[in-house]
Amino acid sequence: MRVLVINGPNLNMLGKRPKEHYGTLTLDEINNLMIKEAGNAIHLDFFQSNCEGEIVSKIQQSLDYDAIIINPAAYTHTSVAIHDALEIFSGLKIEVHLSEVDNREDFRRINFVRDVCNICFSGGHEKSYLEAIKYLKKMM
Ligand code: DQA
């Protein structure tokens, strides 16, 4: 199974962001934990961008993947373009958030990707990403 992991804006700054929401690990550390959890059965590719258009283009170029795990970060709450790109992708789509995104500020309750994803894992810091891998293993 080939899986693309997409992380949106400011997630390259994990480790420096508020720990109560995002935990203490860097993105590289989280990616390494995901690789361990995935084992041999799942091949992971990683993409991070701070630019909405780059994320849209990456999704368009990745239609042959079996699944996408995406944390769109702030674009979760603003991006019709990422919603529309995900809609084109026919594989499994897993939304992930480090924080409890539905129980924070009101503006974070606006969510443009939830309805085009199969499932969402949030609030577990790095464990949210590991839950996504466990879900994929179950679906294989
Ligand atoms: C986030 C939650 C978003 O609201 C925020 O803008 C982020 C990260 C999370 O992983 O908890 O940058 O997606």
Side-chain angles (χ1 to χ4, degrees):
M1 186 182 231
R2 288 176 67 233
V3 179
L4 177 64
V5 183
I6 300 177
N7 281 290
N10 297 305
L11 294 172
N12 55 320
M13 300 304 283
L14 289 177
K16 293 187 162 67
R17 296 188 69 186
K19 296 185 185 354
E20 66 275 21
H21 291 307
Y22 305 116
T24 55
L25 301 187
T26 65
L27 190 56
D28 278 348
E29 288 169 335
I30 293 174
N31 291 348
N32 285 331
L33 289 178
M34 290 180 82
I35 290 169
K36 263 193 208 147
E37 181 67 47
N40 292 328
I42 300 177
H43 174 82
L44 298 174
D45 288 319
F46 296 95
F47 179 76
Q48 190 278 327
S49 175
N50 295 319
C51 302
E52 184 177 23
E54 286 180 6
I55 295 171
V56 169
S57 296
K58 187 69 183 178
I59 294 168
Q60 291 177 1
Q61 291 153 11
S62 305
L63 300 181
D64 56 335
Y65 276 83
D66 299 302
I68 288 179
I69 296 173
I70 184 165
N71 182 349
Y75 290 139
T76 308
H77 318 297
T78 62
S79 182
V80 176
I82 292 175
H83 167 282
D84 289 353
L86 285 171
E87 197 173 49
I88 300 165
F89 180 82
S90 60
L92 279 172
K93 289 163 272 199
I94 306 175
E95 177 191 356
V96 163
H97 299 282
L98 297 138
S99 68
E100 270 195 73
V101 72
D102 298 327
N103 290 316
R104 294 178 59 190
E105 303 93 326
D106 282 349
F107 67 83
R108 291 186 207 272
R109 288 174 201 249
I110 300 165
N111 188 317
F112 283 89
V113 301
R114 183 74 45 95
D115 74 314
V116 285
C117 288
N118 299 87
I119 194 163
C120 173
F121 297 103
S122 67
H125 297 171
E126 66 277 2
K127 290 189 194 76
S128 302
Y129 288 87
L130 302 181
E131 289 298 320
I133 301 285
K134 285 177 189 154
Y135 171 78
L136 283 176
K137 281 181 175 167
K138 262 193 258 159
M139 299 300 285
M140 280 169 67

